[in-house]
Amino acid sequence: MAELAHDTLREMQLRMLRIRAFDERASKMVKRGHIPGTVHTSIGQEAQVVGATMALGAGDYMSGNHRSHGHPIGKGSPLGPLMAELAGKATGVCKGKGGSLHLADFAVGSLGESGIVGSSIPIANGAALSSKVLNNGKVALAFFGDGAANQGVLYESMNMAGVWDLPMIFLCENNQYALSTPAHTVTSGVISQRAAGFGMPGIRVEEGQDVLAVYDAVSEAVARARAGDGPTLVEVMTYRYNEHSEGLRLGTDYRDAGEREAWLKKDPIILFRHYLASQGFSDDELDGLQATALAEVDAAVAFSDASPYPDLSVAFDDLYTDKESAA
Amino acid sequence: MTVMSYLGAIGAAQREAMDADERVIIIGEDVEANVYGTTGGGKSRSDKGDFLQRYGKNRIRNTPISEEGIVGAAAGAAMTGLRPIVDLSYSSFLYMAMDQFVNQVAKNRYMFGGQASMPVVFRSAMFYGLNTGAHHSDRPYPMFMNVPGLKIIAPATPSDAKGLLRSAVDSDDPILSFEACLLWSAKEDVDENEFWIPLGVARTAREGTDVTVVAISSSVPEAVAAAEELAQEGVSVEVIDPRTLVPLDRDAILRSVAKTGRLVVAEPAHRTCGAAAEISALVAEEIFDSLKAPIIRVTAPDMQIPFSPSLEKQMYPTKATIAAAIRRVVDLPALQPVAAAV
């Protein structure tokens, strides 16, 4: 395991706390009608998100999926425009055109979320192709779930990345359910082992609630990609605490009895807090991180609340580069 | 000016674009071997102008047969600094990548609030009229006209193919180019210097005063031939080729029909929700009072393309079916029973 500086460890915990606080607040705002539509939270998956995003460099690219608030946050995106986007405000990171399912912050390399499962995987692959052709040293990472692991486009993309040695990381966030469907009931074999068929390394991070385990595995894949040694498939075992989307009331019948409670005991934020304490972080500092994250989310909500909704006059903006082409 | 074929003109535009900007790459099935004649100077690899020799494997890339992966990767590459030209060979293959076209290529600029630029061109050949059966004969451009965010060109002449493709490569919007194989061998004098034909500007293929025929793709030369035939009988036919279907040059169409008062629309696509239907609706909505006769569409019928030559050749607009439609709108007697396809 790499020796990480105090500031890096601190930042990991802060980003996990940000994601937790952001999504907990977003969940409440959906239920109170302050966010239109719904959201899909990453609560419970923070280690996997932050371990992967912090293994990337500032200029590196990533694409996300429907459960993707955490990805730009993990990559360092400011919270205000993200929250305003969820609320459909003009100051949203996508000017209120995308919403929860389509967050993107190109300033941090976040090339966008996709509401279509698996659909954004080739987008990251294309970013990796750009890096290869332009020889700019950037790598790209595609986040996708265990559900998307059964989409054909993943394998088209893995094949292309493999044959072209693209600087690419395929990161499977295996939270074990596609909505209500247990992954093992619809998935033949082990996802990470599918990499072998494409001649690339396939790694399964069993301790996916341990941010350092994820960080180490993805860092190794990033180093391979950056060295020109091609793509890697990383499967991270994790767990989502909430329903597939906020507002669903499926109950827990589709989960094994006691399963959620067992995962709660290895909560990524609590686990890492214990680790940080063992590394000399004081309780004051750790409590301070929690307070910082909550204050940032408060400020993000205040920013969103104070922001206007987009005016109808901008509805056609960005359909094309020129306004004339919009009929 | 130099005599160029339609395919040669596309090759010339691709070569100019590759020379002009290192961010332009060409990816697709069989592009390295210049199978379709648009990525090389001649018949063999050693001929002067071969793209693989000229630009190298970094910028000329054969792809696996993975349309969804190719289209998505081209979109991602366009979003991060490249300007890909994607050769998808047959237009029927576009369906394999429908999710990427509709959900990523077309939507990303808009739904990400303008953060994404999408400078990518998807070229494909409509292989109809050549007895290739139902899986290779599609003319699917109207489906894509129904997807906001895409721009669509359908050049009908070598000059238009060259000039429109240059504009398409330089555009920061995603563009689909539909190229009819029936036009591949068409030849004309083409400016060998660089030139750009702006998107959204129609071409008047022939001027006239009695009837407007708006014709698309391979229906353009058929419409011009029909116009020449009718001229012998004293009917003056104007032929408008929109060239770009999105954005459509509405003004040019409306101006012409306002002048002539009669409209025939000819295209090789299916009848229902086709470009002809859209153009007919446009004219009916905007200048109904100018019309002296009902609008007539000459299209392919809503059915599969049969293999047998005796069946297939009846499917698309021809000089004869377009001429028959023109006769109807000017109240001339039909020369023969109007074909079912009219």
Side-chain angles (χ1 to χ4, degrees):
Chain A
M1 188 178 288
E3 285 297 317
L4 295 174
H6 183 96
D7 283 355
T8 305
L9 296 171
R10 180 182 184 283
E11 189 65 23
M12 283 179 168
Q13 182 72 336
L14 179 58
R15 291 189 190 191
M16 288 202 291
L17 286 162
R18 267 187 200 134
I19 294 168
R20 177 74 54 98
F22 184 93
D23 267 354
E24 284 184 341
R25 182 67 69 89
S27 171
K28 282 184 190 151
M29 288 169 72
V30 167
K31 285 162 189 160
R32 290 173 187 164
H34 298 166
I35 290 176
T38 187
V39 299
H40 306 76
T41 70
S42 301
I43 298 168
Q45 300 183 210
E46 295 89 348
Q48 160 257 305
V49 173
V50 170
T53 48
M54 284 193 64
L56 294 171
D60 292 335
Y61 300 113
M62 61 182 196
S63 66
N65 55 14
H66 55 289
R67 192 174 308 289
S68 255
H69 304 159
H71 297 140
I73 297 173
K75 198 79 163 42
S77 197
L79 302 187
L82 295 176
M83 191 59 88
E85 187 62 33
L86 265 52
K89 297 299 182 74
T91 57
V93 70
C94 301
K95 302 179 188 170
K97 303 285 183 65
S100 165
L101 279 169
H102 304 298
L103 292 181
D105 186 354
F106 281 44
V108 299
S110 154
L111 300 178
E113 302 177 26
S114 170
I116 308 297
V117 168
S119 184
S120 68
I121 296 168
I123 299 295
N125 220 31
L129 174 61
S130 271
S131 303
K132 175 102 178 173
V133 172
L134 299 170
N135 194 25
N136 61 18
K138 296 183 179 187
V139 309
L141 182 149
F143 285 107
F144 58 94
D146 47 278
N150 293 323
Q151 286 278 27
V153 74
L154 170 62
Y155 302 103
E156 292 191 3
S157 298
M158 286 176 68
N159 180 57
M160 284 169 70
V163 79
W164 286 343
D165 280 334
L166 297 184
M168 180 67 193
I169 298 101
F170 297 92
L171 196 130
C172 179
E173 313 174 291
N174 188 342
N175 70 13
Q176 311 187 44
Y177 291 93
L179 211 162
S180 71
T181 305
H184 68 88
T185 65
V186 291
T187 308
S188 185
V190 175
I191 292 168
S192 58
Q193 290 175 3
R194 296 177 179 181
F198 298 95
M200 71 176 74
I203 296 156
R204 187 181 230 204
V205 182
E206 297 287 355
E207 297 303 326
Q209 304 304 77
D210 174 358
V211 66
L212 293 177
V214 179
Y215 179 83
D216 284 346
V218 179
S219 293
E220 199 174 309
V222 168
R224 259 178 56 76
R226 214 164 326 262
D229 294 333
T232 305
L233 170 62
V234 182
E235 178 186 14
V236 182
M237 303 308 293
T238 184
Y239 197 75
R240 112 172 108 72
Y241 294 169
N242 287 13
E243 288 281 24
H244 165 73
S245 62
E246 299 309 288
L248 270 186
R249 291 189 180 82
L250 296 179
T252 52
D253 285 354
Y254 66 89
R255 308 194 195 221
D256 288 342
E259 179 187 274
R260 188 166 178 274
E261 291 67 30
W263 279 91
L264 283 169
K265 284 182 188 152
K266 44 182 184 176
D267 180 80
I269 292 172
I270 295 172
L271 274 185
F272 199 51
R273 183 178 171 122
H274 290 321
Y275 173 79
L276 293 179
S278 77
Q279 297 298 302
F281 280 68
S282 70
D283 279 350
D284 278 356
E285 187 173 7
L286 294 169
D287 291 343
L289 293 176
Q290 170 91 22
T292 299
L294 289 171
E296 286 180 10
V297 170
D298 283 343
V301 173
F303 171 79
S304 173
D305 285 348
S307 297
Y309 286 104
D311 189 81
L312 193 56
S313 64
V314 303
F316 286 87
D317 287 3
D318 300 316
L319 174 54
Y320 295 104
T321 49
D322 57 317
K323 286 207 171 193
E324 296 72 30
S325 294
Chain B
M1 303 291 267
T2 305
V3 174
M4 286 187 200
S5 69
Y6 187 93
L7 271 187
I10 290 169
Q14 295 199 138
R15 190 177 61 250
E16 288 174 6
M18 293 287 285
D19 285 342
D21 190 340
E22 291 206 332
R23 298 171 300 173
V24 178
I25 64 169
I26 296 177
I27 64 173
E29 293 155 22
D30 305 304
V31 295
E32 291 180 13
N34 187 26
V35 166
Y36 297 101
T38 60
T39 50
K43 289 278 181 204
S44 77
R45 179 69 58 81
S46 59
D47 280 357
K48 193 180 166 199
D50 178 77
F51 278 29
L52 194 57
Q53 290 177 347
R54 201 177 166 100
Y55 305 110
K57 275 191 174 259
N58 199 36
R59 294 178 66 201
I60 301 291
R61 286 173 181 263
N62 271 357
T63 58
I65 302 175
S66 304
E67 283 81 7
E68 193 178 1
I70 295 165
V71 172
M79 290 160 67
T80 53
L82 293 180
R83 308 184 74 84
I85 301 172
V86 186
D87 189 333
L88 285 161
S89 23
Y90 290 23
S91 299
S92 308
F93 303 166
L94 269 59
Y95 308 142
M96 300 294 294
M98 213 58 178
D99 171 58
Q100 290 300 314
F101 279 121
V102 176
N103 283 315
Q104 303 291 338
V105 172
K107 292 178 182 169
N108 279 359
R109 173 188 293 280
Y110 186 81
M111 73 184 180
F112 299 148
Q115 295 180 82
S117 196
M118 197 62 81
V120 54
V121 181
F122 298 97
R123 293 184 42 241
S124 66
M126 301 187 289
F127 230 92
Y128 61 96
L130 297 164
N131 313 123
T132 53
H135 276 185
H136 281 174
S137 303
D138 288 17
R139 296 88 50 226
Y141 56 85
M143 290 184 197
F144 294 93
M145 290 173 69
N146 215 314
V147 180
L150 304 176
K151 290 185 174 178
I152 297 174
I153 60 175
T157 68
S159 287
D160 285 353
K162 183 166 181 253
L164 284 170
L165 187 53
R166 283 309 302 279
S167 295
V169 174
D170 284 3
S171 167
D172 284 338
D173 289 317
I175 295 181
L176 273 59
S177 177
F178 289 92
E179 300 155 5
C181 290
L182 291 172
L183 299 168
W184 274 6
S185 59
K187 288 193 171 86
E188 67 177 358
D189 276 336
V190 177
D191 190 342
E192 66 269 34
N193 301 306
E194 292 184 287
F195 66 94
W196 289 259
I197 293 173
L199 301 179
V201 178
R203 178 178 64 96
T204 303
R206 191 179 195 288
E207 291 194 8
T209 53
D210 297 329
V211 180
T212 299
V213 178
V214 177
I216 294 164
S217 191
S218 74
S219 294
V220 174
E222 301 291 334
V224 169
E228 281 162 7
E229 180 181 292
L230 269 295
Q232 316 274 323
E233 300 177 42
V235 180
S236 171
V237 177
E238 182 149 291
V239 178
I240 303 281
D241 174 5
R243 305 192 288 193
T244 305
L245 297 169
V246 180
L248 187 66
D249 189 347
R250 294 155 169 255
D251 289 346
I253 294 167
L254 293 174
R255 221 169 26 240
S256 175
V257 181
K259 177 178 72 176
T260 63
R262 298 178 182 87
L263 174 63
V264 170
V265 194
E267 67 163 333
H270 293 139
R271 192 171 189 80
T272 300
C273 299
E278 177 60 30
I279 290 165
S280 301
L282 168 73
V283 168
E285 277 183 345
E286 299 290 334
I287 53 166
F288 183 79
D289 290 345
S290 300
L291 290 171
K292 300 169 188 164
I295 299 165
I296 296 184
R297 287 177 288 163
V298 186
T299 69
D302 291 332
M303 62 172 286
Q304 319 308 341
I305 298 304
F307 165 68
S308 175
S310 71
L311 297 174
E312 186 187 9
K313 67 185 177 190
Q314 312 296 329
M315 294 293 129
Y316 319 108
T318 61
K319 174 185 156 187
T321 56
I322 294 168
I326 295 169
R327 287 172 177 284
R328 279 176 63 195
V329 295
V330 296
D331 273 338
L332 282 177
L335 292 181
Q336 56 197 12
V338 176
V342 176

